């Protein structure tokens, strides 16, 4: 059977750099998906006096994360690599631990602060490779992700103060 003649990717980023960036984005995708799942879980299971506030806040955050995973996966594909898409892959790549059981509301908040900050660190860690390759589209994506996750961490953390 004849092999399809697929055009080589020529976007001004060499193969080695595209692979390194795609690998970093795969970790970001895994962190983002894991945080999405954790946030959705907490949305379903939160109880207590802050129920309504947290239920709505978590819903807004998991909806945004659901959109983000698509943007990250599509950037990986644009760089010419397959995006991870299984729980097994995500568990291997993610720096965010899954929740055990159903924690109390304040513990949910603490875990989500830690998750938001973990995604920020994963995104930030990619900048040396992204900058070296002059990969502005990925840099833009990372900057937007970091800005949002830092804001979410601040807003969640603010619920614990006072």
């Amino acid at each position: 059977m004849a092999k399809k003649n697929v055009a080589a990717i020529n976007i001004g980023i060499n193969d080695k750099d595209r692979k390194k960036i795609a690998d970093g984005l795969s970790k970001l995708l895994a962190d983002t998906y894991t945080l999405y799942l954790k946030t959705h879980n907490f949305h379903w299971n939160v109880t207590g006096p802050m129920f309504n506030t947290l239920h709505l806040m978590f819903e807004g955050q998991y909806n945004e994360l659901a959109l983000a995973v698509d943007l990250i996966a599509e950037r990986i594909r644009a760089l010419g690599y397959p995006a991870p898409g299984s729980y097994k892959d995500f568990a291997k790549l993610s720096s965010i631990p899954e929740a055990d059981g159903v924690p109390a509301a304040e513990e949910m908040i603490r875990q989500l602060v830690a998750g938001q900050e973990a995604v920020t660190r994963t995104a930030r860690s990619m900048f040396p490779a992204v900058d070296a390759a002059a990969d502005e589209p990925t840099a833009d994506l990372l900057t937007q992700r970091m800005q949002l996750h830092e804001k979410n961490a601040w807003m969640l953390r603010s619920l614990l103060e006072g």
Side-chain angles (χ1 to χ4, degrees), residues 8-55:
I9 295 175
N10 184 9
I11 59 173
I13 303 172
N14 69 48
D15 292 345
K16 181 180 173 190
D17 288 343
R18 282 189 299 104
K19 172 72 169 133
K20 186 172 185 178
I21 293 166
D23 287 348
L25 286 169
S26 293
K27 291 177 183 175
L28 183 65
L29 179 60
D31 277 355
T32 303
Y33 195 89
T34 302
L35 183 58
Y36 159 79
L37 189 59
K38 183 179 269 194
T39 305
H40 210 156
N41 173 17
F42 291 171
H43 163 79
W44 289 327
N45 291 300
V46 68
T47 59
M50 294 176 36
F51 168 79
N52 195 51
T53 298
L54 294 178
H55 187 73

Side-chain angles (χ1 to χ4, degrees), residues 42-78:
F42 291 171
H43 163 79
W44 289 327
N45 291 300
V46 68
T47 59
M50 294 176 36
F51 168 79
N52 195 51
T53 298
L54 294 178
H55 187 73
L56 293 173
M57 179 183 270
F58 295 168
E59 181 176 19
Q61 290 179 2
Y62 79 70
N63 281 328
E64 194 286 325
L65 290 162
L67 297 173
V69 294
D70 201 48
L71 294 173
I72 298 164
E74 288 177 354
R75 183 65 193 149
I76 295 167
R77 296 298 298 136

Side-chain angles (χ1 to χ4, degrees), residues 98-160:
E98 291 188 63
D100 288 326
V102 179
E106 282 195 14
E107 180 57 23
M108 288 178 177
I109 296 167
R110 282 186 194 87
Q111 287 188 31
L112 293 179
V113 167
Q116 295 285 345
E117 291 176 344
V119 176
T120 301
R121 288 190 305 273
T122 299
R124 191 177 311 281
S125 74
M126 293 182 57
F127 270 97
V130 168
D131 289 344
D135 183 359
E136 285 82 6
T138 299
D140 183 53
L141 174 66
L142 296 174
T143 300
Q144 290 178 40
R145 300 308 316 148
M146 288 180 354
Q147 182 177 21
L148 184 110
H149 290 290
E150 288 175 359
K151 180 179 178 182
N152 284 346
W154 157 63
M155 294 180 91
L156 288 161
R157 195 179 305 104
S158 294
L159 294 169
L160 298 172

